[in-house]
Amino acid sequence: MQVTKTAPEWALELFNKSVLKRRKYREVTALLGDFAGRRCLDVGSDNGVISYLLRQQGGDWSSADLNPQTVNAIRELVGDEVYQISGEALPFPDQTFDRVAIIDFLEHIPDDRRFVDELHRTLKPGGWLIINVPHHKSTALRRLRFRLGQTDEKHGHLRPGYTLDDLQGLLGERFSVESAHTYSKFFSELIDTLIVFAVTTLKGGGHSEKGLVVTSSDLKANKSMFRLYSLIYPVVWVFSQLDALVPASGYMLIVKARKSEPTGHSRIA
């Protein structure tokens, strides 16, 4: 008898075959620290698998994203407390959250400064803000992506990414940056570029203001394509390990910042 997979099972199967998504999740959770018992928010977590995994680790989570397709994909995985937002405002009271993770979202919204105002408003004093964004740098790989049609516009990016100086300027004095680094180097990004090119060529369409989002329904409809990718995944993984040989900075930038506290308030551990 054939067993029908649930939406979380489909999403986890895709996640476990994605070098970039697994690395992103490790980076985000490493900076979030222990969030058990904390009130938390994730924004922009693609098809919802990161939202799902974060909730499995504890904490009281809400999730938000831009377009209806993505929001529905997240709801399919996690259930309630999922909101569609415009990038201008958050539907939460002041000082709601202990932890906020912004994952590949700022580059998609027109007024990132206004959104950071909202993050400051909804974070508790001493709360932690994790921001993951594309690292803005000019490279041969970026030019190759453009030639393959993987432009900023196709990915739904309103800006090509951020430098650390950009983010520090955006956060201002209301947040103190506690750590920052880049990750995901040439070989991981090259193989991802080729995979995206193959998927968009075979599947066609699939783009939104959040770029290409692969949901559990896409996997069900394209089982043979996913099986083929599963077969070559070991080669993809080995190829990505060559990143260790690259001295240059990575293509993703992740920052941990803390909301400044009024005098007399203690920090959140």
Side-chain angles (χ1 to χ4, degrees):
M1 183 177 68
Q2 186 174 5
V3 178
T4 302
K5 294 178 182 178
T6 64
E9 288 172 333
W10 279 110
L12 289 172
E13 194 166 348
L14 175 64
F15 173 82
N16 288 328
K17 296 292 189 294
S18 172
V19 171
L20 296 189
K21 290 183 189 296
R22 290 171 62 191
R23 177 65 185 274
K24 186 183 302 180
Y25 176 69
R26 291 197 303 271
E27 294 288 344
V28 169
T29 52
L31 293 188
L32 279 171
D34 181 9
F35 47 82
R38 304 293 185 189
R39 186 74 176 92
C40 307
L41 170 68
D42 71 273
V43 178
S45 65
D46 195 39
N47 64 0
V49 69
I50 289 181
S51 300
Y52 176 84
L53 290 169
L54 288 173
R55 293 181 190 213
Q56 303 308 301
Q57 299 299 315
D60 179 13
W61 285 88
S62 296
S63 304
D65 214 316
L66 282 174
N67 72 305
Q69 177 194 14
T70 305
V71 170
N72 288 337
I74 299 171
R75 284 183 181 144
E76 191 177 8
L77 293 182
V78 306
D80 58 3
E81 282 297 312
V82 182
Y83 300 85
Q84 184 177 346
I85 59 175
S86 65
E88 295 183 355
L90 289 170
F92 307 106
D94 294 355
Q95 299 186 14
T96 298
F97 299 109
D98 301 295
R99 306 278 196 275
V100 174
I102 308 299
I103 306 169
D104 304 345
F105 184 82
L106 289 184
E107 64 274 17
H108 293 275
I109 56 176
D111 195 342
D112 52 359
R113 191 167 299 277
R114 180 173 177 177
F115 189 68
V116 169
D117 290 342
E118 281 290 280
L119 296 175
H120 184 269
R121 179 184 67 78
T122 54
L123 263 171
K124 296 176 183 178
W128 295 1
L129 174 63
I130 312 301
I131 298 178
N132 189 86
V133 289
H135 184 209
H136 185 200
K137 60 179 189 173
S138 179
T139 65
L141 179 55
R142 178 172 169 80
R143 292 189 290 274
L144 172 63
R145 283 174 168 165
F146 275 46
R147 289 177 182 173
L148 294 177
Q150 298 175 29
T151 61
D152 289 329
E153 182 180 18
K154 260 302 182 50
H155 284 97
H157 293 182
L158 301 184
R159 55 192 67 84
Y162 295 81
T163 65
L164 178 56
D165 286 344
D166 292 335
L167 285 185
Q168 287 176 323
L170 198 59
L171 296 172
E173 296 182 357
R174 297 171 301 171
F175 293 90
S176 59
V177 174
E178 299 198 339
S179 68
H181 64 272
T182 66
Y183 68 96
S184 193
K185 296 187 176 180
F186 173 79
F187 291 100
S188 292
E189 293 288 331
L190 174 60
I191 197 69
D192 182 71
T193 297
L194 298 177
I195 290 169
V196 169
F197 176 72
V199 169
T200 52
T201 299
L202 294 172
K203 179 174 177 287
H207 288 279
S208 70
E209 62 262 49
K210 284 301 298 295
L212 178 67
V213 177
V214 180
T215 66
S216 59
S217 60
D218 293 321
L219 293 180
K220 294 174 188 176
N222 297 276
K223 290 180 183 179
S224 58
M225 187 190 303
F226 183 67
R227 289 194 190 101
L228 176 60
Y229 175 69
S230 296
L231 291 174
I232 66 170
Y233 174 73
V235 177
V236 171
W237 184 86
V238 169
F239 192 75
S240 71
Q241 301 311 296
L242 295 174
D243 277 356
L245 304 176
V246 179
S249 60
Y251 284 81
M252 300 302 299
L253 170 64
I254 189 165
V255 167
K256 174 183 174 182
R258 190 186 295 268
K259 179 178 174 179
S260 300
E261 300 175 86
T263 304
H265 285 256
S266 59
R267 287 186 170 185
I268 298 173

